[in-house]
Amino acid sequence: MINQIKNSFSKFIQSRILQHLLFWMASFYVLVQFFALEEEISDIDIVYTLLFHISLWIGVYLNTELLIRIFLRREKYVLYFIGLLSLWYFVAFLNQFTFEKLSDRIAPDYLFISSYSFQDLLKFSFVYIALSTLLKLSKSWFQVLETAKQLESLKREQAETELQALKSNINPHFLFNNLTSLYGLARKKSENTPEYILKLSELMRYMIYETKDRLVGLNKELDYIVNYLELQKLRCDKETKIQYKISGESYLHQIVPFLLIPFIENSFKHGGINQSHKNIVDLKVNIKEENLEMRLTNSIPLNVAITIDQIGGFGIDNVKSRLELFYKDKYTLHLFQKEEEFIVELKIKLK
């Protein structure tokens, strides 16, 4: 019901002809009541009110279609003020001229004189010019708000599309790699095989069923990351140190899904896992009040120059765009290389 009212009101705002008709009908009704000499409206009151509106029509449309378009919208405020001042006096003069020179030609069956002094006509002129300016600006402001709302909606739709693309990008490769590792583990008849199958099923269930909403529980997102790291241990040498430490009350907060995992994936993709003499992936996540702090360190291959620009791809670009959309001015992200390590530092204010 509320959305229907908003849509109807929006369509009304966009109907320019209807707006103007209603404005002038209301203006005519008010002025004819004001000018009427008796309680009952006569023909002469109607004709007088119509003649009085001629200068007002000209003044209003010179303001909205000429002065505002040429000067005010282009931020030429001094020229607009000069034009407005000139128009103010011009409308009062035109009203006086209408009754003194033109009324006999326009309505020869009636005898009219200018009933108001020039100072009084200036008051009428000021009210209509000021009112037309306010209405024009308020309409423009409303349209700007509508446009901003539409852009925000489009950005969110784009983010949702990118999230779905990110999920489809994660699922096949990750599943294939881990099934291969699990197959090798099963051939060795390892006692850990059932545990890892369970972790993989939990991870896939989260990816498919629990990330449909815009926000998910932070504790679930971190559980997903822990399962991911545990499964990655299958594919790495025994010398590889995959460490993680998560502290704080994560169950109290929510986060945009798949916001942290692309950084962790990249630590394996671009890091020196099974290639470096250090072989380290170290994740630290701390939740304190409304703030999340993540520091991710991974070793990089010896004698290989990896620039920050190379540490990216669709996943990282996607994360950056979603951070800007959902946590604008509420996050800091630093990516940097230090000797044989690549470090990601991310801080987010979750509320």
Side-chain angles (χ1 to χ4, degrees), residues 106-117:
I106 298 174
D109 295 335
Y110 300 93
L111 176 63
F112 292 109
I113 59 172
S114 183
S115 303
Y116 294 95
S117 66

Side-chain angles (χ1 to χ4, degrees), residues 54-185:
I54 292 175
S55 59
L56 300 179
W57 289 332
I58 295 173
V60 164
Y61 289 114
L62 282 176
N63 180 35
T64 58
E65 305 303 320
L66 188 67
L67 297 182
I68 291 179
R69 287 179 182 272
I70 295 177
F71 300 127
L72 191 58
R73 286 186 176 178
R74 298 178 182 178
E75 300 182 355
K76 298 179 179 179
Y77 302 118
V78 175
L79 292 176
Y80 177 71
F81 178 77
I82 294 173
L84 204 64
L85 190 63
S86 303
L87 183 62
W88 178 28
Y89 276 83
F90 172 73
V91 170
F93 169 78
L94 183 60
N95 188 289
Q96 203 171 53
F97 180 78
T98 299
F99 285 99
E100 292 180 358
K101 303 295 182 181
L102 300 179
S103 60
D104 292 340
R105 298 182 181 181
I106 298 174
D109 295 335
Y110 300 93
L111 176 63
F112 292 109
I113 59 172
S114 183
S115 303
Y116 294 95
S117 66
F118 191 77
Q119 286 74 20
D120 290 332
L121 294 176
L122 283 174
K123 295 176 183 177
F124 281 102
S125 174
F126 174 81
V127 169
Y128 274 78
I129 292 174
L131 186 60
S132 65
T133 300
L134 290 174
L135 288 175
K136 190 73 173 180
L137 293 179
S138 63
K139 180 184 176 182
S140 299
W141 178 75
F142 182 84
Q143 290 173 338
V144 167
L145 287 181
E146 284 295 306
T147 302
K149 190 182 295 183
Q150 291 173 2
L151 287 174
E152 186 71 15
S153 177
L154 287 173
K155 285 182 179 179
R156 291 187 182 276
E157 288 178 6
Q158 181 184 4
E160 292 299 324
T161 302
E162 290 178 350
L163 176 59
Q164 295 304 317
L166 181 63
K167 288 169 69 175
S168 65
N169 187 51
I170 291 173
N171 292 349
H173 300 290
F174 178 77
L175 183 60
F176 175 79
N177 291 334
N178 280 282
L179 284 176
T180 302
S181 299
L182 285 170
Y183 173 73
L185 198 65

